[in-house]
Each structure stands twice: as C-alpha cells, then as structure tokens.
Coordinates of all heavy atoms in Angstrom, one line a residue:
M11 N 0.8 -1.2 0.0 CA 0.0 0.0 0.0 C 0.8 1.2 0.0 O 2.0 1.2 0.5 CB -0.9 0.0 1.2 CG -1.9 -1.1 1.3 SD -3.1 -1.2 -0.1 CE -4.1 0.2 0.4
A12 N 0.3 2.3 -0.5 CA 1.1 3.6 -0.6 C 1.5 4.2 0.6 O 2.5 4.9 0.7 CB 0.3 4.5 -1.5
D13 N 0.8 3.9 1.8 CA 1.2 4.5 3.1 C 2.2 3.6 3.8 O 2.6 3.9 4.9 CB -0.1 4.6 3.9 CG -0.8 3.3 4.2 OD1 -0.6 2.3 3.5 OD2 -1.6 3.4 5.2
C14 N 2.7 2.6 3.2 CA 3.8 1.8 3.8 C 5.1 2.4 3.6 O 5.5 2.9 2.5 CB 3.7 0.3 3.2 SG 2.3 -0.6 3.6
W15 N 6.0 2.3 4.5 CA 7.4 2.8 4.5 C 8.2 2.0 3.5 O 8.9 2.5 2.7 CB 8.0 2.8 5.8 CG 9.4 3.3 5.9 CD1 9.7 4.7 5.8 CD2 10.6 2.6 5.9 NE1 11.1 4.9 5.8 CE2 11.7 3.6 5.9 CE3 10.9 1.3 6.1 CZ2 13.0 3.2 6.1 CZ3 12.2 0.9 6.2 CH2 13.2 1.9 6.2
L16 N 7.9 0.7 3.4 CA 8.7 -0.2 2.5 C 7.7 -0.9 1.7 O 6.7 -1.6 2.2 CB 9.6 -1.2 3.2 CG 10.1 -2.3 2.5 CD1 11.2 -1.8 1.4 CD2 10.7 -3.4 3.3
T17 N 7.7 -0.8 0.4 CA 6.8 -1.5 -0.5 C 7.6 -2.4 -1.4 O 8.7 -2.1 -1.8 CB 6.0 -0.5 -1.4 OG1 6.9 0.3 -2.2 CG2 5.1 0.5 -0.5
L18 N 6.9 -3.6 -1.7 CA 7.5 -4.6 -2.5 C 6.7 -4.9 -3.7 O 5.4 -5.1 -3.5 CB 7.7 -5.9 -1.7 CG 8.5 -5.9 -0.4 CD1 8.4 -7.2 0.4 CD2 9.9 -5.4 -0.7
D19 N 7.2 -4.9 -4.8 CA 6.5 -5.2 -6.1 C 6.5 -6.8 -6.3 O 7.2 -7.2 -7.1 CB 7.2 -4.5 -7.3 CG 6.3 -4.6 -8.5 OD1 5.1 -5.0 -8.5 OD2 6.8 -4.3 -9.6
D20 N 5.7 -7.4 -5.5 CA 5.7 -8.9 -5.5 C 4.3 -9.3 -5.2 O 3.7 -9.0 -4.2 CB 6.6 -9.3 -4.3 CG 6.8 -10.7 -4.3 OD1 5.9 -11.5 -4.6 OD2 7.9 -11.2 -3.8
D21 N 3.7 -10.2 -6.1 CA 2.4 -10.5 -6.0 C 2.1 -11.6 -4.9 O 1.0 -11.9 -4.6 CB 1.8 -11.1 -7.3 CG 2.6 -12.2 -7.9 OD1 3.7 -12.6 -7.4 OD2 2.1 -12.9 -8.9
L22 N 3.2 -12.0 -4.3 CA 3.2 -12.9 -3.1 C 3.1 -12.2 -1.8 O 2.9 -12.8 -0.7 CB 4.3 -14.0 -3.1 CG 4.2 -15.0 -4.2 CD1 5.4 -15.9 -4.2 CD2 2.9 -15.7 -4.3
A23 N 3.4 -10.9 -1.8 CA 3.3 -10.1 -0.6 C 1.9 -9.5 -0.5 O 1.4 -8.9 -1.4 CB 4.4 -9.0 -0.7
S24 N 1.5 -9.5 0.7 CA 0.1 -8.9 1.1 C 0.3 -7.3 1.1 O 1.4 -6.8 1.2 CB -0.4 -9.4 2.4 OG -0.6 -10.8 2.3
R25 N -0.9 -6.7 1.0 CA -0.9 -5.2 1.0 C -0.3 -4.7 2.4 O 0.5 -3.7 2.4 CB -2.3 -4.6 0.9 CG -2.8 -4.9 -0.5 CD -4.2 -4.3 -0.7 NE -4.6 -4.5 -2.1 CZ -5.9 -4.8 -2.4 NH1 -6.8 -5.0 -1.5 NH2 -6.1 -4.9 -3.6
Y26 N -0.6 -5.3 3.5 CA 0.0 -5.1 4.8 C 0.5 -6.5 5.3 O -0.2 -7.2 6.0 CB -1.0 -4.5 5.8 CG -1.5 -3.1 5.3 CD1 -2.7 -2.9 4.7 CD2 -0.7 -2.0 5.6 CE1 -3.1 -1.7 4.4 CE2 -1.1 -0.7 5.2 CZ -2.3 -0.5 4.7 OH -2.8 0.7 4.3
H27 N 1.7 -6.7 4.9 CA 2.2 -8.1 5.1 C 2.9 -8.3 6.5 O 2.6 -9.2 7.2 CB 3.2 -8.4 4.0 CG 3.6 -9.8 3.9 ND1 3.0 -10.6 2.9 CD2 4.4 -10.6 4.6 CE1 3.6 -11.9 3.0 NE2 4.4 -11.8 4.0
A28 N 3.9 -7.4 6.8 CA 4.7 -7.5 8.0 C 5.1 -6.1 8.4 O 5.0 -5.1 7.7 CB 5.9 -8.3 7.7
R29 N 5.5 -6.0 9.7 CA 5.9 -4.8 10.3 C 7.3 -5.0 11.0 O 7.4 -5.9 11.7 CB 4.9 -4.2 11.3 CG 5.4 -3.0 12.0 CD 4.3 -2.5 13.0 NE 3.2 -2.0 12.2 CZ 1.9 -2.4 12.4 NH1 1.6 -3.2 13.5 NH2 1.0 -1.9 11.7
F30 N 8.3 -4.1 10.6 CA 9.5 -4.1 11.3 C 9.5 -3.2 12.4 O 9.0 -2.1 12.4 CB 10.7 -3.7 10.3 CG 11.0 -4.9 9.4 CD1 10.4 -4.9 8.1 CD2 11.9 -5.9 9.7 CE1 10.7 -5.9 7.3 CE2 12.2 -6.8 8.8 CZ 11.6 -6.9 7.6
H31 N 9.9 -3.6 13.7 CA 9.9 -2.8 14.8 C 11.4 -2.5 15.2 O 12.2 -3.4 15.3 CB 9.3 -3.5 16.0 CG 7.9 -3.9 15.8 ND1 6.9 -3.1 16.2 CD2 7.3 -5.0 15.3 CE1 5.7 -3.6 15.8 NE2 5.9 -4.8 15.3
V32 N 11.7 -1.2 15.3 CA 13.1 -0.8 15.7 C 12.9 0.0 16.9 O 12.2 1.0 17.0 CB 13.8 0.0 14.7 CG1 15.1 0.5 15.1 CG2 13.8 -0.7 13.3
D33 N 13.5 -0.5 18.1 CA 13.4 0.2 19.4 C 14.8 0.2 20.1 O 15.2 -0.9 20.5 CB 12.3 -0.5 20.2 CG 12.2 0.2 21.5 OD1 12.5 1.4 21.8 OD2 11.7 -0.5 22.5
G34 N 15.5 1.3 19.9 CA 16.9 1.3 20.4 C 17.7 0.3 19.7 O 17.8 0.3 18.5
A35 N 18.4 -0.6 20.4 CA 19.1 -1.6 19.8 C 18.4 -2.9 19.4 O 18.9 -3.9 18.8 CB 20.3 -2.0 20.7
E36 N 17.1 -2.9 19.7 CA 16.2 -4.1 19.4 C 15.6 -4.0 18.1 O 15.1 -2.9 17.6 CB 15.2 -4.2 20.5 CG 15.6 -4.3 22.0 CD 16.5 -5.5 22.2 OE1 16.0 -6.6 21.8 OE2 17.5 -5.5 22.9
L37 N 15.6 -5.1 17.4 CA 14.9 -5.2 16.1 C 14.0 -6.4 16.0 O 14.5 -7.4 16.5 CB 16.0 -5.3 14.9 CG 15.4 -5.5 13.5 CD1 14.5 -4.3 13.0 CD2 16.6 -5.8 12.6
A38 N 12.8 -6.3 15.6 CA 11.9 -7.4 15.5 C 11.1 -7.3 14.2 O 10.9 -6.2 13.6 CB 11.0 -7.4 16.6
V39 N 10.5 -8.4 13.8 CA 9.6 -8.4 12.6 C 8.3 -9.1 13.1 O 8.4 -10.0 13.9 CB 10.2 -9.1 11.4 CG1 10.4 -10.6 11.6 CG2 9.3 -8.9 10.2
E40 N 7.2 -8.6 12.6 CA 5.8 -9.1 13.0 C 5.0 -9.4 11.8 O 4.9 -8.5 10.9 CB 5.1 -8.0 13.9 CG 3.8 -8.4 14.3 CD 3.1 -7.2 14.9 OE1 3.6 -6.2 15.0 OE2 1.9 -7.5 15.4
D41 N 4.6 -10.6 11.7 CA 3.7 -10.9 10.5 C 2.3 -10.3 10.8 O 1.8 -10.4 12.0 CB 3.6 -12.4 10.3 CG 2.7 -12.8 9.2 OD1 3.2 -12.6 8.0 OD2 1.5 -13.2 9.3
L42 N 1.6 -9.7 9.9 CA 0.4 -9.0 10.1 C -0.8 -9.9 9.5 O -1.8 -9.3 9.0 CB 0.4 -7.7 9.4 CG 1.4 -6.6 10.0 CD1 1.5 -5.4 9.3 CD2 1.3 -6.5 11.5
G43 N -0.7 -11.2 9.7 CA -1.7 -12.1 9.2 C -1.7 -12.3 7.7 O -2.7 -12.5 7.0
S44 N -0.6 -12.2 7.1 CA -0.5 -12.3 5.6 C -0.8 -13.7 5.1 O -0.7 -14.7 5.8 CB 1.0 -11.9 5.2 OG 1.9 -12.9 5.8
R45 N -1.3 -13.8 3.9 CA -1.7 -15.1 3.3 C -0.6 -16.0 3.1 O -0.6 -17.2 3.5 CB -2.4 -14.8 2.0 CG -2.8 -16.1 1.2 CD -3.4 -15.9 0.0 NE -4.8 -15.5 0.3 CZ -5.7 -15.1 -0.5 NH1 -5.4 -14.9 -1.7 NH2 -7.0 -14.9 -0.1
N46 N 0.6 -15.5 2.6 CA 1.7 -16.4 2.4 C 2.7 -16.4 3.5 O 3.8 -17.2 3.3 CB 2.4 -15.9 1.0 CG 1.4 -16.2 -0.2 OD1 0.9 -17.2 -0.3 ND2 1.3 -15.2 -0.9
G47 N 2.5 -15.7 4.5 CA 3.4 -15.7 5.7 C 4.7 -15.0 5.5 O 5.1 -14.6 4.5
T48 N 5.3 -14.8 6.7 CA 6.6 -14.1 6.9 C 7.5 -15.3 7.4 O 7.1 -15.9 8.4 CB 6.5 -13.0 7.7 OG1 5.6 -12.0 7.2 CG2 7.9 -12.3 7.9
H49 N 8.6 -15.4 6.8 CA 9.6 -16.5 7.3 C 10.9 -15.8 7.7 O 11.4 -14.9 7.2 CB 9.9 -17.4 6.1 CG 8.7 -18.1 5.6 ND1 7.7 -17.6 4.8 CD2 8.2 -19.4 5.9 CE1 6.8 -18.5 4.5 NE2 7.1 -19.6 5.2
V50 N 11.4 -16.3 8.9 CA 12.6 -15.9 9.4 C 13.5 -17.2 9.6 O 13.2 -18.2 10.2 CB 12.5 -15.3 10.9 CG1 13.9 -15.0 11.5 CG2 11.7 -14.0 10.8
N51 N 14.7 -17.1 8.8 CA 15.6 -18.3 8.8 C 14.9 -19.6 8.4 O 15.1 -20.7 9.0 CB 16.3 -18.5 10.1 CG 17.1 -17.2 10.5 OD1 17.7 -16.5 9.6 ND2 17.2 -16.9 11.8
G52 N 14.0 -19.5 7.4 CA 13.3 -20.7 6.9 C 12.0 -21.1 7.6 O 11.3 -22.0 7.2
L53 N 11.7 -20.5 8.7 CA 10.5 -20.9 9.5 C 9.5 -19.8 9.5 O 9.8 -18.6 9.6 CB 11.0 -21.1 11.0 CG 12.0 -22.2 11.2 CD1 12.4 -22.1 12.7 CD2 11.5 -23.6 10.8
R54 N 8.2 -20.2 9.2 CA 7.1 -19.3 9.2 C 6.8 -18.8 10.6 O 6.8 -19.6 11.6 CB 5.8 -20.0 8.6 CG 4.7 -19.0 8.4 CD 3.6 -19.6 7.7 NE 2.5 -18.7 7.5 CZ 1.6 -18.7 6.5 NH1 1.7 -19.8 5.6 NH2 0.7 -18.0 6.4
I55 N 6.7 -17.5 10.8 CA 6.5 -16.9 12.1 C 5.1 -16.6 12.3 O 4.3 -16.4 11.4 CB 7.4 -15.7 12.3 CG1 7.0 -14.5 11.4 CG2 8.8 -16.0 12.2 CD1 7.6 -13.2 11.8
E56 N 4.7 -16.4 13.5 CA 3.4 -15.9 14.0 C 3.7 -14.9 15.0 O 4.6 -15.1 15.9 CB 2.5 -17.0 14.7 CG 2.0 -18.1 13.7 CD 1.1 -19.1 14.4 OE1 0.6 -18.7 15.4 OE2 0.9 -20.1 13.8
G57 N 3.0 -13.7 14.8 CA 3.3 -12.6 15.7 C 4.6 -12.0 15.5 O 5.2 -12.0 14.4
R58 N 5.1 -11.5 16.6 CA 6.5 -10.6 16.7 C 7.6 -11.6 17.0 O 7.5 -12.3 18.1 CB 6.2 -9.5 17.6 CG 7.3 -8.4 17.6 CD 6.9 -7.4 18.6 NE 7.6 -6.3 18.4 CZ 7.4 -5.0 18.9 NH1 6.3 -4.9 19.7 NH2 8.2 -4.0 18.8
V59 N 8.7 -11.5 16.3 CA 9.9 -12.3 16.5 C 11.1 -11.3 16.5 O 11.3 -10.6 15.6 CB 10.0 -13.3 15.4 CG1 11.3 -14.1 15.5 CG2 8.8 -14.3 15.4
P60 N 12.0 -11.5 17.5 CA 13.2 -10.7 17.5 C 14.2 -11.1 16.4 O 14.2 -12.3 16.1 CB 13.8 -10.9 18.9 CG 13.1 -12.1 19.4 CD 11.8 -12.3 18.7
L61 N 14.9 -10.2 15.9 CA 16.0 -10.4 14.9 C 17.3 -10.1 15.4 O 17.5 -9.2 16.2 CB 15.6 -9.6 13.5 CG 14.3 -9.8 13.0 CD1 14.1 -8.8 11.9 CD2 14.3 -11.3 12.3
K62 N 18.3 -10.7 14.8 CA 19.7 -10.5 15.1 C 20.5 -10.5 13.9 O 20.0 -10.9 12.8 CB 20.2 -11.5 16.2 CG 20.2 -12.9 15.7 CD 20.6 -13.9 16.7 CE 20.7 -15.3 16.3 NZ 19.6 -15.8 15.4
D63 N 21.8 -10.1 14.0 CA 22.7 -10.0 12.9 C 22.7 -11.3 12.1 O 22.9 -12.4 12.7 CB 24.1 -9.6 13.3 CG 25.0 -9.5 12.2 OD1 24.8 -8.8 11.3 OD2 26.1 -10.1 12.3
G64 N 22.5 -11.3 10.8 CA 22.6 -12.5 10.0 C 21.3 -13.2 9.8 O 21.2 -14.1 8.9
D65 N 20.2 -12.8 10.5 CA 18.9 -13.4 10.2 C 18.4 -13.0 8.9 O 18.7 -12.0 8.3 CB 17.9 -13.0 11.3 CG 18.1 -13.7 12.6 OD1 18.7 -14.7 12.7 OD2 17.5 -13.2 13.6
E66 N 17.7 -14.0 8.3 CA 17.1 -13.8 6.9 C 15.5 -13.8 7.0 O 15.0 -14.7 7.6 CB 17.6 -15.0 6.0 CG 17.0 -14.8 4.6 CD 17.5 -16.0 3.8 OE1 18.6 -15.8 3.1 OE2 16.8 -17.0 3.7
V67 N 15.0 -12.7 6.5 CA 13.5 -12.5 6.5 C 13.0 -12.7 5.1 O 13.5 -12.0 4.2 CB 13.1 -11.2 7.1 CG1 11.6 -11.0 7.0 CG2 13.7 -10.9 8.5
I68 N 12.1 -13.5 4.9 CA 11.5 -13.7 3.5 C 10.0 -13.2 3.5 O 9.2 -13.6 4.4 CB 11.5 -15.2 3.1 CG1 12.9 -15.8 3.1 CG2 10.8 -15.4 1.7 CD1 13.8 -15.3 2.1
I69 N 9.8 -12.3 2.6 CA 8.4 -11.7 2.5 C 8.2 -11.9 0.9 O 8.8 -11.3 0.1 CB 8.3 -10.3 2.8 CG1 8.6 -10.1 4.4 CG2 6.9 -9.7 2.5 CD1 8.6 -8.7 4.8
G70 N 7.2 -12.8 0.7 CA 7.0 -13.1 -0.8 C 8.2 -13.8 -1.4 O 8.7 -14.7 -0.9
R71 N 8.7 -13.2 -2.4 CA 9.9 -13.7 -3.1 C 11.1 -12.9 -2.6 O 12.3 -13.1 -3.1 CB 9.8 -13.6 -4.6 CG 8.8 -14.5 -5.2 CD 8.7 -14.4 -6.7 NE 7.7 -15.1 -7.3 CZ 6.4 -14.7 -7.5 NH1 6.1 -13.4 -7.2 NH2 5.5 -15.4 -8.0
E72 N 11.0 -11.9 -1.8 CA 12.0 -11.0 -1.4 C 12.7 -11.5 -0.1 O 12.1 -12.0 0.8 CB 11.5 -9.6 -1.0 CG 10.7 -9.0 -2.2 CD 11.5 -8.8 -3.4 OE1 12.7 -8.4 -3.3 OE2 10.9 -8.9 -4.5
R73 N 14.1 -11.5 -0.2 CA 14.9 -11.9 0.9 C 15.6 -10.7 1.6 O 16.3 -9.8 0.8 CB 16.0 -12.8 0.4 CG 16.9 -13.3 1.5 CD 17.8 -14.3 0.9 NE 18.8 -13.7 0.0 CZ 20.1 -13.6 0.2 NH1 20.6 -14.0 1.4 NH2 20.8 -13.0 -0.7
I74 N 15.4 -10.5 2.8 CA 15.9 -9.3 3.5 C 16.9 -9.9 4.6 O 16.5 -10.7 5.4 CB 14.8 -8.5 4.2 CG1 13.9 -8.0 3.2 CG2 15.4 -7.4 5.0 CD1 12.5 -7.4 3.7
V75 N 18.1 -9.5 4.6 CA 19.2 -10.1 5.6 C 19.4 -8.9 6.5 O 19.7 -7.7 6.2 CB 20.4 -10.5 4.8 CG1 21.4 -11.0 5.8 CG2 20.0 -11.5 3.8
V76 N 19.4 -9.3 7.9 CA 19.7 -8.3 8.9 C 21.3 -8.2 9.0 O 21.9 -9.2 9.1 CB 19.1 -8.8 10.3 CG1 19.5 -7.8 11.3 CG2 17.7 -8.9 10.1
V77 N 21.8 -7.0 8.9 CA 23.2 -6.7 9.0 C 23.4 -5.7 10.1 O 22.9 -4.6 10.2 CB 23.7 -6.1 7.8 CG1 25.2 -5.8 7.8 CG2 23.4 -7.1 6.5
S78 N 24.2 -6.0 11.2 CA 24.6 -5.2 12.2 C 25.6 -4.1 11.8 O 26.5 -4.5 11.1 CB 25.1 -6.0 13.4 OG 25.5 -5.2 14.4
V79 N 25.3 -2.9 12.1 CA 26.2 -1.8 11.6 C 26.9 -1.2 12.9 O 26.3 -0.8 13.8 CB 25.4 -0.7 10.9 CG1 26.4 0.4 10.4 CG2 24.8 -1.3 9.7
A80 N 28.2 -1.0 12.8 CA 28.9 -0.3 13.9 C 29.9 0.7 13.3 O 30.2 0.7 12.1 CB 29.7 -1.3 14.6
T81 N 30.1 1.7 14.0 CA 31.0 2.7 13.6 C 32.5 2.3 13.6 O 32.8 1.1 14.1 CB 31.0 4.0 14.5 OG1 31.3 3.6 15.8 CG2 29.6 4.6 14.5
V82 N 33.4 3.1 13.0 CA 34.8 2.7 12.9 C 35.4 2.3 14.3 O 36.2 1.3 14.3 CB 35.6 3.8 12.2 CG1 37.1 3.5 12.1 CG2 35.0 4.1 10.8
D83 N 35.1 3.0 15.3 CA 35.7 2.8 16.6 C 35.0 1.6 17.4 O 35.2 1.3 18.5 CB 35.7 4.0 17.5 CG 34.2 4.4 17.8 OD1 33.3 3.9 17.5 OD2 34.1 5.6 18.4
G84 N 34.0 1.0 16.6 CA 33.3 -0.3 17.3 C 32.1 0.0 18.0 O 31.3 -0.8 18.4
A85 N 31.8 1.4 18.2 CA 30.6 1.8 19.0 C 29.4 1.7 18.0 O 29.6 2.0 16.8 CB 30.7 3.1 19.6
E86 N 28.3 1.3 18.5 CA 27.0 1.3 17.7 C 26.6 2.7 17.3 O 26.7 3.6 18.2 CB 25.9 0.5 18.4 CG 26.2 -1.0 18.5 CD 25.2 -1.8 17.9 OE1 24.2 -1.3 17.4 OE2 25.5 -3.0 17.8
E87 N 26.1 2.9 16.2 CA 25.4 4.1 15.7 C 24.1 4.3 16.5 O 23.5 3.3 16.9 CB 25.2 4.1 14.3 CG 26.4 4.0 13.5 CD 26.1 4.0 12.0 OE1 25.3 3.2 11.6 OE2 26.8 4.8 11.2
P88 N 23.7 5.6 16.5 CA 22.3 5.7 17.1 C 21.2 5.1 16.2 O 21.4 4.9 15.1 CB 22.2 7.3 17.0 CG 23.5 7.8 17.0 CD 24.4 6.8 16.3
A89 N 20.2 4.6 17.0 CA 19.2 3.8 16.3 C 18.6 4.6 15.0 O 18.4 4.0 14.0 CB 18.0 3.6 17.2
D90 N 18.4 5.9 15.1 CA 17.8 6.6 14.0 C 18.8 6.6 12.8 O 18.3 6.5 11.6 CB 17.6 8.1 14.3 CG 16.4 8.3 15.2 OD1 15.7 7.3 15.4 OD2 16.3 9.4 15.9
D91 N 20.1 6.6 13.0 CA 21.1 6.5 11.9 C 21.0 5.1 11.3 O 21.2 4.9 10.1 CB 22.4 6.9 12.4 CG 22.6 8.3 12.7 OD1 21.8 9.2 12.3 OD2 23.6 8.6 13.5
R92 N 20.9 4.1 12.2 CA 20.9 2.7 11.7 C 19.7 2.5 10.9 O 19.7 1.8 9.8 CB 21.0 1.8 12.8 CG 22.3 1.6 13.5 CD 22.4 0.5 14.4 NE 21.3 0.2 15.3 CZ 21.3 0.8 16.5 NH1 22.1 1.5 17.0 NH2 20.2 0.5 17.2
L93 N 18.5 3.1 11.3 CA 17.3 2.8 10.6 C 17.3 3.4 9.1 O 16.9 2.8 8.2 CB 16.2 3.5 11.3 CG 14.7 3.3 10.7 CD1 14.4 1.9 10.5 CD2 13.7 4.0 11.5
R94 N 18.0 4.5 9.0 CA 18.2 5.1 7.6 C 18.9 4.2 6.7 O 18.9 4.2 5.5 CB 18.9 6.4 7.7 CG 18.0 7.6 8.3 CD 18.7 8.9 8.2 NE 18.0 9.8 9.0 CZ 18.3 10.1 10.2 NH1 19.4 9.6 10.9 NH2 17.6 11.0 10.9
K95 N 19.8 3.4 7.3 CA 20.7 2.5 6.5 C 20.1 1.1 6.3 O 20.7 0.2 5.7 CB 22.0 2.4 7.1 CG 22.8 3.7 7.1 CD 24.1 3.6 7.8 CE 24.9 4.9 7.9 NZ 26.1 4.7 8.5
T96 N 19.0 0.8 6.9 CA 18.5 -0.6 7.0 C 18.0 -1.2 5.7 O 18.1 -2.3 5.4 CB 17.4 -0.8 8.0 OG1 16.3 0.1 7.7 CG2 17.8 -0.5 9.4
M97 N 17.5 -0.4 4.8 CA 17.0 -0.9 3.6 C 17.7 -0.4 2.4 O 18.0 0.8 2.3 CB 15.5 -0.6 3.4 CG 14.6 -1.0 4.6 SD 14.8 -2.8 5.0 CE 14.2 -3.5 3.6
G98 N 18.1 -1.3 1.5 CA 18.8 -0.8 0.3 C 18.8 -2.1 -0.7 O 18.8 -3.2 -0.2
P99 N 19.1 -1.8 -1.9 CA 19.2 -2.8 -2.9 C 20.4 -3.7 -2.6 O 21.4 -3.2 -2.2 CB 19.3 -2.1 -4.2 CG 19.6 -0.7 -3.9 CD 19.3 -0.4 -2.5
G100 N 20.3 -4.9 -3.0 CA 21.5 -5.9 -2.7 C 21.6 -6.4 -1.3 O 22.4 -7.0 -0.9

C-alpha cells in the first residue's frame, strides 16, 4: 500500500504483510496475518519475532538479511542513523 514505508512489487506479498519494529538496539519483525506468511531463517513466524545479525527474513519472493552496523571505533550508531541504512538494494 502507498502508506507503507517499504513497498515490495511482489504478488506474493500482502498489502499489509509485515511490520519491522526498531526500538533502540532491538529489532523485530511481526507478521500481520499475511496469506503467504513471513519467514525468518526458513521458519514461518506468527506474531512478533526478535531479529539479530545474519537473520534472513522472507516476504513473498524478497529476501531481507539483517546486518549489524557499527562505527569505525566499534561503537554502535544511534538507532535513527541505523534505521536510515536498513533498507537498500542488494
């Protein structure tokens, strides 16, 4: 849907398929009752599931891999900065 922050051009993805939750250093994905389901590391999820570095989220035919980002000195970036970098091609 047009009011979604992330849209996928995939006929297997529901209009409101899943929601990513970012709260400080915590990241989770929640399936919103989609027809084809949301999968994390190959398993279909129900409700909200925490995510960690390297986890793979499948929505429709799309694969989204969680990548932890740290600054050069090893300290984590503020959550708002990380969120801006979370989605990108490839």
Side-chain angles (χ1 to χ4, degrees):
M11 296 297 288
D13 61 337
C14 293
W15 182 73
L16 171 65
T17 59
L18 303 174
D19 186 16
D20 186 330
D21 58 349
L22 295 179
S24 299
R25 290 181 179 144
Y26 294 101
H27 195 102
R29 177 176 292 131
F30 286 92
H31 299 270
V32 180
D33 182 22
E36 303 295 319
L37 174 63
V39 65
E40 174 185 12
D41 184 74
L42 299 177
S44 64
R45 174 176 282 171
N46 294 310
T48 301
H49 296 78
V50 175
N51 299 325
L53 300 174
R54 187 172 180 153
I55 66 167
E56 290 185 19
R58 193 174 189 167
V59 173
L61 297 172
K62 63 185 181 316
D63 184 50
D65 282 347
E66 180 179 271
V67 179
I68 303 290
I69 297 174
R71 293 181 187 91
E72 304 298 324
R73 180 173 68 109
I74 301 166
V75 178
V76 177
V77 178
S78 179
V79 178
T81 60
V82 175
D83 63 6
E86 293 239 350
E87 294 178 310
D90 290 345
D91 292 342
R92 288 195 312 270
L93 182 58
R94 287 187 194 93
K95 296 178 181 178
T96 55
M97 304 307 296

